[in-house]
Amino acid sequence: MTEPARVPVLNIANVLTMSRLVLVPVFLYLLFAEGGHSYWWRLSAFGVFVVASVTDHVDGNLARKHGLITDFGKIADPIADKALTGAALVGLSLLGELPWWITLVIAVRELGVTLLRFWVIRHGVIPASRGGKAKTLVQIVAIGLYLLSLPANLEPVAVVTMYAAVALTVVTGADYVVRAVRLRARGKRAVAGA
């Protein structure tokens, strides 16, 4: 019986994931240029944010379609997402455009889920759930709306979208806690039964 071919860590999906990490400082530079309130610099920051966010969708599709899924990618992909969204949220809060409590709720959840992933890593990897993917999408849309500095009459759209992102963030965070506890318990039972 032949063993399945090992997927190299250095593949196009993982390269796209790492490129998202590289774009984070570029995004921050553009966001804060000229005090963070220049229309063209903000539009450039928005463009980099969109490009980086699209790589998240593309790398996942490539990995699944071409069998390029690796444990590195399962861990690095959500970290790259968190770095990008975290940088955007902190940046917007530093500029006084997003309440700090929103940034803190999202940051605590994201950090908590990352720590949970490492807590159970020897028992298995917790891949992103559908809810987690929906949360990421709504966060990206909400952040994008804030980055665009919408006119006053459209600001409620950004606020409602951000509140939806916060709600999804909390709900999916609780789901990850349940999944992590179950995975760890299964892993311990498997070790005890071996």
Side-chain angles (χ1 to χ4, degrees):
M1 189 163 116
T2 59
E3 289 186 26
R6 290 193 57 190
V7 178
V9 172
L10 187 61
N11 63 57
I12 186 64
N14 288 344
V15 168
L16 284 171
T17 297
M18 297 312 293
S19 73
R20 193 157 61 257
L21 281 170
V22 170
L23 286 174
V24 170
V26 175
F27 162 76
L28 285 172
Y29 174 81
L30 296 171
L31 179 62
F32 286 107
E34 293 187 20
H37 301 290
S38 161
Y39 173 78
W40 293 109
W41 285 108
R42 283 296 284 266
L43 193 58
S44 299
F46 171 79
V48 169
F49 183 80
V50 168
V51 167
S53 298
V54 167
T55 66
D56 180 35
H57 179 70
V58 173
D59 66 7
N61 283 346
L62 285 172
R64 286 184 293 277
K65 184 176 180 181
H66 298 290
L68 299 175
I69 296 171
T70 63
D71 284 344
F72 172 82
K74 288 179 186 176
I75 296 293
D77 184 66
I79 289 172
D81 295 342
K82 289 166 181 47
L84 179 64
T85 56
L89 293 166
V90 169
L92 288 166
S93 292
L94 285 171
L95 291 170
E97 297 177 22
L98 183 69
W100 275 104
W101 72 265
I102 290 176
T103 297
L104 291 174
V105 166
I106 293 174
V108 166
R109 183 271 191 199
E110 301 298 358
L111 179 61
V113 168
T114 300
L115 292 175
L116 277 174
R117 288 176 190 274
F118 286 112
W119 182 57
V120 300
I121 199 159
R122 64 188 168 140
H123 303 290
V125 174
I126 305 174
S129 67
R130 283 185 181 168
K133 290 175 183 177
K135 176 269 310 174
T136 300
L137 177 62
V138 176
Q139 280 182 1
I140 288 168
V141 171
I143 290 167
L145 292 172
Y146 272 84
L147 289 172
L148 284 174
S149 298
L150 297 173
N153 62 330
L154 292 178
E155 282 179 10
V157 174
V159 172
V160 168
T161 307
M162 187 59 79
Y163 283 170
V166 171
L168 280 169
T169 298
V170 172
V171 169
T172 57
D175 176 59
Y176 274 106
V177 170
V178 170
R179 291 168 65 198
V181 169
R182 287 180 181 162
L183 179 62
R184 189 169 168 90
R186 270 196 313 267
K188 284 187 171 186
R189 281 196 303 271
V191 168

